[in-house]
Amino acid sequence: MYNLETKVFYCQIDSCRAIKEYQKKGLCVRLLAVEEQFFSAQALERKEGVEVISIEVSYWAFLERLDGAGRVPAKAERDKFDLLDDSVRERSRWYRLEVDWNTKTRHGYAYPTFSEEKPRYFELVSCRTESQTISLGPAPLFNQEVMKLPLSHDTGISTSNASPWTLSAFHVGQGMCSIVSDGKQALLLDIGAGTPVTRPLYQEGKITNELAQVIEGIKTIDLILSHADQDHWRILAWDAELRKKIRHIFVPENAKSLAYKDPAIKFDIKEIQRLHIVLSTNSWLDVYRSQPKRDDDNGQCLVTVFESAGKRALIAGDYVYSRFPSDTNKDVADLQNQDFDAVVVPHHGDAESAHRIVKARQGAIAFFSAGNHRKFLHPTQISRDNHKKEKYTEICNNNCPDVRRVTLI
């Protein structure tokens, strides 16, 4: 746990318009932070890592105090602020937050990100944009472009008698999580969640958790993380037992996050540009690092294609179809010319995901992974309608309160 006397944190924004996990689920700014004593290039890159703190603070209190504003800005200014978390440059900006733990006013709360500790509440005293620029260093580069599973020295299992590999997606609210597994081994494709699936409900066991059931007998899991937004990895932070199973966490080359510096996952992080994962003689994963025309947060990502026994699925995180053709990675660009038996609809079915939808094979499934966030309103009706027009069968349950499994292939 961070020092109880800590009153100053240095933070980076994860989401400008999130929903609080606690405190009646009000609108908040979600940040990742370190204590003041660790705010230096040397401390952030130290070998043993640095504890990363999650902070959720009232959206209104944050904006009222930001750089001494003294008032909540007009809607036009707020709309501009709301878009900051789309920008790679703005997400790398640091903010200095000063808090007071000893008042009755509760603007927000903090807790160690990779923990089961209860939140500690505070009053936000001040908030300012930090003039000092500290860039985060990269994680180690994975030195293979082809990886074969199973690895005999890890599992002792031979591919000759392996069970069929399947792809399942999970309803996790405003997040994304899928799994490729043969029942004995598994790879996770994102492991995020969001409203109505929340940290307290998950950690207190108040929801049905079919992900936990699926991985119960699996000893070693690799995670392919499409990008660094928390709604794509938050279950990893919530679940200590799951973290014990993780061997590698593959992330896009040169796409950085403060979360990667926490010792709970720091030593598992591996950057990749391209990775072909052989699962069996007729099952594999291809993972491509995007090279987007527009440099934004959602565009700095990994796009995954799963193939098994002649069936093919696309899992692209928040990278929408219409961006494929202009991507300078030819493998990503070529996805627009392929057809699929299943897709996890990009970016939770937002309006952009309604365009240039990849071709559906007969009986293809479109899985919408979205929650009930009252600001985002995902999935959009146009995305749902257009996937149906392209002959996809829709699976959508954005009010599902549990972590529920749906087999796609």
Side-chain angles (χ1 to χ4, degrees):
M1 179 66 170
Y2 51 88
N3 189 323
L4 293 177
E5 299 304 314
T6 298
K7 293 186 177 181
V8 175
F9 295 93
Y10 284 84
C11 318
Q12 293 182 325
I13 288 177
D14 175 77
S15 176
C16 293
R17 50 203 184 285
I19 300 296
K20 286 183 180 179
E21 303 281 271
Y22 304 88
Q23 286 190 308
K24 299 181 180 180
K25 300 184 179 181
L27 191 63
C28 71
V29 179
R30 180 174 291 147
L31 307 111
L32 293 174
V34 294
E35 296 175 67
E36 184 177 25
Q37 62 178 312
F38 297 119
F39 185 61
S40 69
Q42 182 178 5
L44 288 168
E45 302 301 333
R46 64 183 190 164
K47 184 177 180 181
E48 64 270 33
V50 58
E51 185 177 53
V52 177
I53 308 301
S54 285
I55 294 177
E56 295 186 347
V57 59
S58 162
Y59 175 88
W60 310 103
F62 185 92
L63 289 180
E64 183 180 9
R65 288 159 180 75
L66 181 58
D67 295 329
R71 60 174 181 83
V72 174
K75 186 178 184 303
E77 294 177 74
R78 299 200 305 269
D79 289 344
K80 290 179 182 178
F81 174 81
D82 291 350
L83 296 175
L84 293 184
D85 56 13
D86 293 336
S87 164
V88 172
R89 183 175 64 85
E90 292 297 336
R91 287 172 67 96
S92 66
R93 190 183 300 278
W94 291 94
Y95 296 85
R96 182 188 185 276
L97 267 61
E98 183 179 355
V99 305
D100 186 344
W101 306 107
N102 300 311
T103 71
K104 292 183 179 180
T105 302
R106 292 184 167 190
H107 290 134
Y109 48 84
Y111 55 83
T113 301
F114 296 91
S115 78
E116 296 182 0
E117 293 191 29
K118 302 296 184 185
R120 189 175 177 212
Y121 296 90
F122 61 77
E123 177 183 0
L124 181 61
V125 176
S126 66
C127 170
R128 74 162 191 250
T129 306
E130 175 57 38
S131 57
Q132 184 179 359
T133 300
I134 298 179
S135 297
L136 299 173
L141 188 65
F142 192 60
N143 59 4
Q144 299 171 232
E145 286 197 1
V146 178
M147 185 174 76
K148 293 184 179 181
L149 289 183
L151 300 175
S152 58
H153 62 274
D154 283 344
T155 65
I157 302 169
S158 168
T159 55
S160 62
N161 59 3
S163 301
W165 286 83
T166 63
L167 168 68
S168 297
F170 293 88
H171 292 296
V172 287
Q174 188 70 31
M176 282 192 185
C177 178
S178 303
I179 192 168
V180 170
S181 178
D182 68 349
K184 297 176 182 177
Q185 303 150 98
L187 296 101
L188 285 161
L189 313 176
D190 286 337
I191 187 164
T195 180
V197 178
T198 64
R199 183 179 188 261
L201 293 176
Y202 187 97
Q203 293 190 335
E204 294 167 17
K206 293 182 178 179
I207 59 174
T208 300
N209 187 351
E210 294 184 356
L211 172 62
Q213 297 168 17
V214 170
I215 67 172
E216 184 176 3
I218 298 173
K219 293 182 179 179
T220 303
I221 300 172
D222 289 331
L223 168 61
I224 298 167
L225 185 59
S226 65
H227 65 300
D229 286 1
Q230 284 197 44
D231 61 332
H232 292 256
W233 58 262
R234 299 179 79 208
I235 292 176
L236 187 68
W238 298 346
D239 195 325
E241 291 303 311
L242 170 64
R243 289 199 300 276
K244 292 176 184 177
K245 298 174 182 282
I246 297 295
R247 180 180 59 164
H248 299 309
I249 302 173
F250 296 116
V251 302
E253 184 179 9
N254 205 36
K256 301 161 187 174
S257 170
L258 184 57
Y260 301 164
K261 303 302 179 183
D262 194 290
I265 63 170
K266 174 183 172 70
F267 306 103
D268 302 325
I269 300 286
K270 302 289 187 297
E271 293 188 358
I272 60 172
Q273 179 64 234
R274 188 190 192 284
L275 185 61
H276 178 70
I277 304 173
V278 180
L279 306 174
S280 68
T281 54
N282 65 353
S283 301
W284 60 86
L285 286 162
D286 282 306
V287 188
Y288 308 119
R289 204 295 190 196
S290 65
Q291 298 294 338
K293 185 176 181 180
R294 184 175 79 248
D295 184 17
D296 63 323
D297 175 63
N298 290 336
Q300 303 297 330
C301 67
L302 297 177
V303 177
T304 299
V305 176
F306 170 63
E307 298 204 33
S308 184
K311 293 194 172 183
R312 181 188 299 141
L314 174 65
I315 308 95
D318 287 350
Y319 203 45
V320 293
Y321 314 116
S322 59
R323 301 187 67 177
F324 294 173
S326 63
D327 196 292
T328 58
N329 182 335
K330 64 180 182 59
D331 292 313
V332 175
D334 186 56
L335 295 174
Q336 192 70 51
N337 303 318
Q338 298 183 32
D339 54 6
F340 295 89
D341 297 280
V343 295
V344 175
V345 178
H347 206 198
H348 317 284
D350 74 342
E352 287 190 56
S353 70
H355 308 294
R356 302 200 68 167
I357 296 169
V358 292
K359 185 178 179 181
R361 292 178 174 177
Q362 186 173 0
I365 295 171
F367 182 84
F368 287 85
S369 188
N372 56 7
H373 191 296
R374 60 180 180 268
K375 190 89 171 177
F376 297 149
L377 300 176
H378 294 158
T380 59
Q381 194 62 49
I382 188 174
S383 184
R384 297 177 66 178
D385 290 345
N386 285 3
H387 278 84
K388 291 175 185 175
K389 288 178 183 177
E390 295 298 326
K391 308 303 181 185
Y392 281 96
T393 298
E394 172 193 284
I395 296 178
C396 179
N397 186 0
N398 56 303
N399 289 310
C400 181
D402 301 304
V403 178
R404 294 285 189 182
R405 180 185 187 182
V406 176
T407 301
L408 303 183
I409 289 180

